[in-house]
Amino acid sequence: MEFHNKSGSEFGGGTLHIKIRNAHSWTCMDLYVFATPYRVTWDYYFLAREHTLEFKEWEGKAEFEYVKRKGVSVFLMEAGMLGTFQALWDVFPLFTNTGWGEISNIEFLKNHMGASFMLRPQPWVTNVSVDDIHSGDFIAISKIRGRWGGFETLEKWVTGTYAGHTAVCLKDSEGKLWVAESGYEVEKGQDIIAIVPWDEWWNFELTKDDSNPHIALLPLHPNIRAKFNETAAWEYALSMLGKPYGYHNMIFSWIDTIGENYPPPLDANVVASVMTVWNHIQPDYAANIWNEALNKRLGTQGLDLPEILVEIERLGLSFDELLTIPEQDDWIYSDGKSTSCVVFILEMYKAAGLFDPIARSIQVTEFTIKDAYTLKLFENNSSRLPKWCNDGDIVKLPFCQILGKYRMELPEYNTMNPYPHMNERCPSLPPKYSRPKYC
């Protein structure tokens, strides 16, 4: 690649020539993506020869200086133009709220994760008795169609989890059952932390949730329940009531390593490019999702994405190294503490004493949903599960599936004791999602 600046001024209107020798067959149409922290563009080529791409104007001095030092990132979409469109065609139906979308999500998870989706015998709804549900019992939810179904499918693929959303049960002093949830959708599509009566929550899932939710109740082990400080749990939940869903640190529970958390064709460069695009299309949304979290890792405040990338270079870091810095539970963002659905529950568990005596050495903001349901906190004696648990199913799961056409799977469920600095350095590559001990 060769770079030539032909501008008469230093940075105001230059032309950059990028020469790429296309090494592929003349029959192949190759798609290239070109990115700086300030822009993303693309072009495609048929012939195996040198090509020239022109940036006719810099986005000010900052981009000019950045390209002088670092150049332009170039990504070859190895599948070519047609293959890229095919990949987009494969992903698009995941988000459609149709039967086609549901089948697409199921096939994607079967093909990329080895999920089974075995049919359950009817009825697919359990007649739940709230008398058998206790404070701290965990709810795992898997949605397989529509906007959230598609999002959860991709989340499952990159993290290795077999559920995409979570909630937790709480009983008040009068014995009334409530569901506390980070990601409860209210008017205008806003997702907040809410505490709603069980009957209201359960009725919504049965009659109004069009994502075809599959729901499992994971009861706490009696010994763990005895440790659960219900008063502290309520205090924590009420302190978070009405706060927004924890978008700030959502991706950082997934990325723990330089290269072993990205299923192909993803890598840190692709993540950076997606951030760059999003930063231009929806800068406020980008700031909410990752800019504040990246500033936390750098010890800076208020830097936007281009400034963050310049600061990374100044410090001698790489972007992929920055992404692996563990999230800290005590970080306060512009809208308060940031907790995703599962982090909200684990923070409650932490407040309720379930991680004692090592709570200070565990950052639950680094946990995925899989990391949560593999914790050794739940009932391990099927004879103590409620009588209605898995009622009518010939396969007796170690937890209680209470809704869904397909049998839910939670590999490695209830197998891992908490340990200091848990889940801060764990790989998560499909299809086996193998992890070393004590990562």
PDB file of all heavy atoms in Angstrom, residues 367-388:
ATOM      1  N   PHE A 367     -19.313 -10.705  34.294  1.00  0.00           N
ATOM      2  CA  PHE A 367     -20.015 -11.978  34.103  1.00  0.00           C
ATOM      3  C   PHE A 367     -21.003 -11.885  32.939  1.00  0.00           C
ATOM      4  O   PHE A 367     -21.732 -10.912  32.800  1.00  0.00           O
ATOM      5  CB  PHE A 367     -20.804 -12.354  35.365  1.00  0.00           C
ATOM      6  CG  PHE A 367     -19.972 -12.909  36.489  1.00  0.00           C
ATOM      7  CD1 PHE A 367     -18.846 -12.260  36.949  1.00  0.00           C
ATOM      8  CD2 PHE A 367     -20.348 -14.088  37.111  1.00  0.00           C
ATOM      9  CE1 PHE A 367     -18.092 -12.761  37.998  1.00  0.00           C
ATOM     10  CE2 PHE A 367     -19.611 -14.605  38.163  1.00  0.00           C
ATOM     11  CZ  PHE A 367     -18.474 -13.939  38.604  1.00  0.00           C
ATOM     12  N   THR A 368     -21.029 -12.937  32.129  1.00  0.00           N
ATOM     13  CA  THR A 368     -22.090 -13.110  31.137  1.00  0.00           C
ATOM     14  C   THR A 368     -23.230 -13.907  31.782  1.00  0.00           C
ATOM     15  O   THR A 368     -23.120 -14.375  32.927  1.00  0.00           O
ATOM     16  CB  THR A 368     -21.580 -13.868  29.909  1.00  0.00           C
ATOM     17  OG1 THR A 368     -21.233 -15.206  30.297  1.00  0.00           O
ATOM     18  CG2 THR A 368     -20.354 -13.182  29.307  1.00  0.00           C
ATOM     19  N   ILE A 369     -24.301 -14.104  31.037  1.00  0.00           N
ATOM     20  CA  ILE A 369     -25.406 -14.920  31.559  1.00  0.00           C
ATOM     21  C   ILE A 369     -24.941 -16.348  31.800  1.00  0.00           C
ATOM     22  O   ILE A 369     -25.298 -16.967  32.814  1.00  0.00           O
ATOM     23  CB  ILE A 369     -26.600 -14.876  30.592  1.00  0.00           C
ATOM     24  CG1 ILE A 369     -27.185 -13.465  30.549  1.00  0.00           C
ATOM     25  CG2 ILE A 369     -27.684 -15.880  30.994  1.00  0.00           C
ATOM     26  CD1 ILE A 369     -28.289 -13.262  29.523  1.00  0.00           C
ATOM     27  N   LYS A 370     -24.125 -16.882  30.902  1.00  0.00           N
ATOM     28  CA  LYS A 370     -23.589 -18.229  31.114  1.00  0.00           C
ATOM     29  C   LYS A 370     -22.776 -18.289  32.395  1.00  0.00           C
ATOM     30  O   LYS A 370     -22.882 -19.244  33.171  1.00  0.00           O
ATOM     31  CB  LYS A 370     -22.724 -18.645  29.927  1.00  0.00           C
ATOM     32  CG  LYS A 370     -22.082 -20.010  30.109  1.00  0.00           C
ATOM     33  CD  LYS A 370     -21.163 -20.376  28.958  1.00  0.00           C
ATOM     34  CE  LYS A 370     -20.523 -21.738  29.187  1.00  0.00           C
ATOM     35  NZ  LYS A 370     -19.613 -22.113  28.081  1.00  0.00           N
ATOM     36  N   ASP A 371     -21.947 -17.268  32.630  1.00  0.00           N
ATOM     37  CA  ASP A 371     -21.148 -17.245  33.853  1.00  0.00           C
ATOM     38  C   ASP A 371     -22.039 -17.280  35.087  1.00  0.00           C
ATOM     39  O   ASP A 371     -21.647 -17.834  36.123  1.00  0.00           O
ATOM     40  CB  ASP A 371     -20.286 -15.978  33.888  1.00  0.00           C
ATOM     41  CG  ASP A 371     -19.273 -15.924  32.752  1.00  0.00           C
ATOM     42  OD1 ASP A 371     -18.824 -16.976  32.295  1.00  0.00           O
ATOM     43  OD2 ASP A 371     -18.949 -14.799  32.314  1.00  0.00           O
ATOM     44  N   ALA A 372     -23.226 -16.695  34.981  1.00  0.00           N
ATOM     45  CA  ALA A 372     -24.147 -16.674  36.122  1.00  0.00           C
ATOM     46  C   ALA A 372     -24.767 -18.037  36.361  1.00  0.00           C
ATOM     47  O   ALA A 372     -24.779 -18.543  37.496  1.00  0.00           O
ATOM     48  CB  ALA A 372     -25.234 -15.629  35.906  1.00  0.00           C
ATOM     49  N   TYR A 373     -25.313 -18.680  35.307  1.00  0.00           N
ATOM     50  CA  TYR A 373     -26.015 -19.948  35.571  1.00  0.00           C
ATOM     51  C   TYR A 373     -25.066 -21.126  35.781  1.00  0.00           C
ATOM     52  O   TYR A 373     -25.499 -22.189  36.205  1.00  0.00           O
ATOM     53  CB  TYR A 373     -27.076 -20.234  34.506  1.00  0.00           C
ATOM     54  CG  TYR A 373     -26.636 -20.519  33.090  1.00  0.00           C
ATOM     55  CD1 TYR A 373     -25.870 -21.635  32.756  1.00  0.00           C
ATOM     56  CD2 TYR A 373     -27.054 -19.683  32.048  1.00  0.00           C
ATOM     57  CE1 TYR A 373     -25.509 -21.895  31.445  1.00  0.00           C
ATOM     58  CE2 TYR A 373     -26.697 -19.944  30.734  1.00  0.00           C
ATOM     59  CZ  TYR A 373     -25.925 -21.045  30.439  1.00  0.00           C
ATOM     60  OH  TYR A 373     -25.569 -21.321  29.141  1.00  0.00           O
ATOM     61  N   THR A 374     -23.776 -20.937  35.510  1.00  0.00           N
ATOM     62  CA  THR A 374     -22.827 -22.009  35.847  1.00  0.00           C
ATOM     63  C   THR A 374     -22.338 -21.908  37.295  1.00  0.00           C
ATOM     64  O   THR A 374     -21.688 -22.831  37.787  1.00  0.00           O
ATOM     65  CB  THR A 374     -21.612 -21.991  34.901  1.00  0.00           C
ATOM     66  OG1 THR A 374     -20.974 -20.723  34.952  1.00  0.00           O
ATOM     67  CG2 THR A 374     -22.017 -22.303  33.480  1.00  0.00           C
ATOM     68  N   LEU A 375     -22.633 -20.800  37.966  1.00  0.00           N
ATOM     69  CA  LEU A 375     -22.267 -20.683  39.382  1.00  0.00           C
ATOM     70  C   LEU A 375     -22.928 -21.786  40.204  1.00  0.00           C
ATOM     71  O   LEU A 375     -24.100 -22.112  39.999  1.00  0.00           O
ATOM     72  CB  LEU A 375     -22.699 -19.325  39.930  1.00  0.00           C
ATOM     73  CG  LEU A 375     -21.855 -18.115  39.537  1.00  0.00           C
ATOM     74  CD1 LEU A 375     -22.569 -16.829  39.945  1.00  0.00           C
ATOM     75  CD2 LEU A 375     -20.465 -18.190  40.160  1.00  0.00           C
ATOM     76  N   LYS A 376     -22.196 -22.310  41.145  1.00  0.00           N
ATOM     77  CA  LYS A 376     -22.715 -23.389  41.998  1.00  0.00           C
ATOM     78  C   LYS A 376     -23.505 -22.778  43.152  1.00  0.00           C
ATOM     79  O   LYS A 376     -23.092 -22.788  44.312  1.00  0.00           O
ATOM     80  CB  LYS A 376     -21.567 -24.255  42.508  1.00  0.00           C
ATOM     81  CG  LYS A 376     -21.978 -25.665  42.873  1.00  0.00           C
ATOM     82  CD  LYS A 376     -20.762 -26.542  43.126  1.00  0.00           C
ATOM     83  CE  LYS A 376     -21.173 -27.980  43.399  1.00  0.00           C
ATOM     84  NZ  LYS A 376     -19.992 -28.845  43.613  1.00  0.00           N
ATOM     85  N   LEU A 377     -24.684 -22.272  42.799  1.00  0.00           N
ATOM     86  CA  LEU A 377     -25.566 -21.612  43.773  1.00  0.00           C
ATOM     87  C   LEU A 377     -26.941 -22.244  43.813  1.00  0.00           C
ATOM     88  O   LEU A 377     -27.734 -21.944  44.710  1.00  0.00           O
ATOM     89  CB  LEU A 377     -25.732 -20.127  43.408  1.00  0.00           C
ATOM     90  CG  LEU A 377     -24.493 -19.236  43.365  1.00  0.00           C
ATOM     91  CD1 LEU A 377     -24.890 -17.843  42.899  1.00  0.00           C
ATOM     92  CD2 LEU A 377     -23.810 -19.173  44.721  1.00  0.00           C
ATOM     93  N   PHE A 378     -27.227 -23.136  42.874  1.00  0.00           N
ATOM     94  CA  PHE A 378     -28.605 -23.554  42.652  1.00  0.00           C
ATOM     95  C   PHE A 378     -28.869 -24.972  43.159  1.00  0.00           C
ATOM     96  O   PHE A 378     -27.949 -25.728  43.481  1.00  0.00           O
ATOM     97  CB  PHE A 378     -28.927 -23.425  41.162  1.00  0.00           C
ATOM     98  CG  PHE A 378     -28.666 -22.051  40.624  1.00  0.00           C
ATOM     99  CD1 PHE A 378     -27.556 -21.798  39.810  1.00  0.00           C
ATOM    100  CD2 PHE A 378     -29.493 -20.991  40.964  1.00  0.00           C
ATOM    101  CE1 PHE A 378     -27.301 -20.524  39.336  1.00  0.00           C
ATOM    102  CE2 PHE A 378     -29.246 -19.712  40.490  1.00  0.00           C
ATOM    103  CZ  PHE A 378     -28.137 -19.478  39.678  1.00  0.00           C
ATOM    104  N   GLU A 379     -30.149 -25.309  43.222  1.00  0.00           N
ATOM    105  CA  GLU A 379     -30.583 -26.619  43.726  1.00  0.00           C
ATOM    106  C   GLU A 379     -29.936 -27.751  42.922  1.00  0.00           C
ATOM    107  O   GLU A 379     -29.920 -27.728  41.693  1.00  0.00           O
ATOM    108  CB  GLU A 379     -32.105 -26.711  43.625  1.00  0.00           C
ATOM    109  CG  GLU A 379     -32.683 -28.005  44.144  1.00  0.00           C
ATOM    110  CD  GLU A 379     -32.334 -28.261  45.600  1.00  0.00           C
ATOM    111  OE1 GLU A 379     -33.010 -27.685  46.477  1.00  0.00           O
ATOM    112  OE2 GLU A 379     -31.382 -29.028  45.848  1.00  0.00           O
ATOM    113  N   ASN A 380     -29.366 -28.735  43.640  1.00  0.00           N
ATOM    114  CA  ASN A 380     -28.741 -29.879  42.958  1.00  0.00           C
ATOM    115  C   ASN A 380     -29.398 -31.206  43.303  1.00  0.00           C
ATOM    116  O   ASN A 380     -28.896 -32.266  42.948  1.00  0.00           O
ATOM    117  CB  ASN A 380     -27.247 -29.949  43.294  1.00  0.00           C
ATOM    118  CG  ASN A 380     -26.986 -30.124  44.793  1.00  0.00           C
ATOM    119  OD1 ASN A 380     -27.917 -30.190  45.594  1.00  0.00           O
ATOM    120  ND2 ASN A 380     -25.714 -30.190  45.163  1.00  0.00           N
ATOM    121  N   ASN A 381     -30.533 -31.133  43.991  1.00  0.00           N
ATOM    122  CA  ASN A 381     -31.269 -32.338  44.371  1.00  0.00           C
ATOM    123  C   ASN A 381     -32.664 -32.257  43.755  1.00  0.00           C
ATOM    124  O   ASN A 381     -33.504 -31.484  44.196  1.00  0.00           O
ATOM    125  CB  ASN A 381     -31.347 -32.446  45.896  1.00  0.00           C
ATOM    126  CG  ASN A 381     -32.005 -33.729  46.358  1.00  0.00           C
ATOM    127  OD1 ASN A 381     -32.709 -34.400  45.583  1.00  0.00           O
ATOM    128  ND2 ASN A 381     -31.792 -34.093  47.620  1.00  0.00           N
ATOM    129  N   SER A 382     -32.891 -33.049  42.714  1.00  0.00           N
ATOM    130  CA  SER A 382     -34.160 -32.964  41.978  1.00  0.00           C
ATOM    131  C   SER A 382     -35.362 -33.280  42.853  1.00  0.00           C
ATOM    132  O   SER A 382     -36.473 -32.821  42.574  1.00  0.00           O
ATOM    133  CB  SER A 382     -34.135 -33.903  40.773  1.00  0.00           C
ATOM    134  OG  SER A 382     -33.933 -35.240  41.189  1.00  0.00           O
ATOM    135  N   SER A 383     -35.160 -34.035  43.925  1.00  0.00           N
ATOM    136  CA  SER A 383     -36.296 -34.370  44.792  1.00  0.00           C
ATOM    137  C   SER A 383     -36.803 -33.156  45.565  1.00  0.00           C
ATOM    138  O   SER A 383     -37.919 -33.162  46.080  1.00  0.00           O
ATOM    139  CB  SER A 383     -35.903 -35.481  45.775  1.00  0.00           C
ATOM    140  OG  SER A 383     -34.956 -35.011  46.717  1.00  0.00           O
ATOM    141  N   ARG A 384     -35.981 -32.112  45.656  1.00  0.00           N
ATOM    142  CA  ARG A 384     -36.399 -30.893  46.363  1.00  0.00           C
ATOM    143  C   ARG A 384     -37.007 -29.854  45.419  1.00  0.00           C
ATOM    144  O   ARG A 384     -37.478 -28.811  45.873  1.00  0.00           O
ATOM    145  CB  ARG A 384     -35.209 -30.275  47.113  1.00  0.00           C
ATOM    146  CG  ARG A 384     -34.775 -31.054  48.353  1.00  0.00           C
ATOM    147  CD  ARG A 384     -33.923 -30.185  49.268  1.00  0.00           C
ATOM    148  NE  ARG A 384     -32.662 -29.835  48.645  1.00  0.00           N
ATOM    149  CZ  ARG A 384     -31.483 -30.375  48.966  1.00  0.00           C
ATOM    150  NH1 ARG A 384     -31.424 -31.325  49.894  1.00  0.00           N
ATOM    151  NH2 ARG A 384     -30.382 -29.986  48.371  1.00  0.00           N
ATOM    152  N   LEU A 385     -36.991 -30.102  44.120  1.00  0.00           N
ATOM    153  CA  LEU A 385     -37.619 -29.170  43.183  1.00  0.00           C
ATOM    154  C   LEU A 385     -39.137 -29.220  43.360  1.00  0.00           C
ATOM    155  O   LEU A 385     -39.682 -30.247  43.776  1.00  0.00           O
ATOM    156  CB  LEU A 385     -37.244 -29.538  41.745  1.00  0.00           C
ATOM    157  CG  LEU A 385     -35.776 -29.340  41.352  1.00  0.00           C
ATOM    158  CD1 LEU A 385     -35.512 -29.923  39.963  1.00  0.00           C
ATOM    159  CD2 LEU A 385     -35.391 -27.870  41.395  1.00  0.00           C
ATOM    160  N   PRO A 386     -39.839 -28.135  43.069  1.00  0.00           N
ATOM    161  CA  PRO A 386     -41.310 -28.144  43.214  1.00  0.00           C
ATOM    162  C   PRO A 386     -41.947 -29.263  42.390  1.00  0.00           C
ATOM    163  O   PRO A 386     -41.430 -29.664  41.347  1.00  0.00           O
ATOM    164  CB  PRO A 386     -41.706 -26.760  42.666  1.00  0.00           C
ATOM    165  CG  PRO A 386     -40.492 -25.913  42.830  1.00  0.00           C
ATOM    166  CD  PRO A 386     -39.321 -26.822  42.638  1.00  0.00           C
ATOM    167  N   LYS A 387     -43.092 -29.759  42.851  1.00  0.00           N
ATOM    168  CA  LYS A 387     -43.757 -30.870  42.160  1.00  0.00           C
ATOM    169  C   LYS A 387     -44.157 -30.515  40.740  1.00  0.00           C
ATOM    170  O   LYS A 387     -44.200 -31.363  39.859  1.00  0.00           O
ATOM    171  CB  LYS A 387     -44.990 -31.309  42.969  1.00  0.00           C
ATOM    172  CG  LYS A 387     -44.646 -31.984  44.287  1.00  0.00           C
ATOM    173  CD  LYS A 387     -45.895 -32.439  45.030  1.00  0.00           C
ATOM    174  CE  LYS A 387     -45.525 -33.128  46.336  1.00  0.00           C
ATOM    175  NZ  LYS A 387     -46.734 -33.565  47.093  1.00  0.00           N
ATOM    176  N   TRP A 388     -44.465 -29.229  40.506  1.00  0.00           N
ATOM    177  CA  TRP A 388     -44.860 -28.813  39.169  1.00  0.00           C
ATOM    178  C   TRP A 388     -43.671 -28.592  38.235  1.00  0.00           C
ATOM    179  O   TRP A 388     -43.837 -28.312  37.049  1.00  0.00           O
ATOM    180  CB  TRP A 388     -45.691 -27.533  39.229  1.00  0.00           C
ATOM    181  CG  TRP A 388     -45.165 -26.474  40.169  1.00  0.00           C
ATOM    182  CD1 TRP A 388     -45.602 -26.212  41.431  1.00  0.00           C
ATOM    183  CD2 TRP A 388     -44.106 -25.533  39.908  1.00  0.00           C
ATOM    184  NE1 TRP A 388     -44.892 -25.176  41.989  1.00  0.00           N
ATOM    185  CE2 TRP A 388     -43.974 -24.739  41.070  1.00  0.00           C
ATOM    186  CE3 TRP A 388     -43.277 -25.284  38.823  1.00  0.00           C
ATOM    187  CZ2 TRP A 388     -43.019 -23.711  41.174  1.00  0.00           C
ATOM    188  CZ3 TRP A 388     -42.330 -24.275  38.915  1.00  0.00           C
ATOM    189  CH2 TRP A 388     -42.213 -23.512  40.077  1.00  0.00           C
TER     190      TRP A 388
END
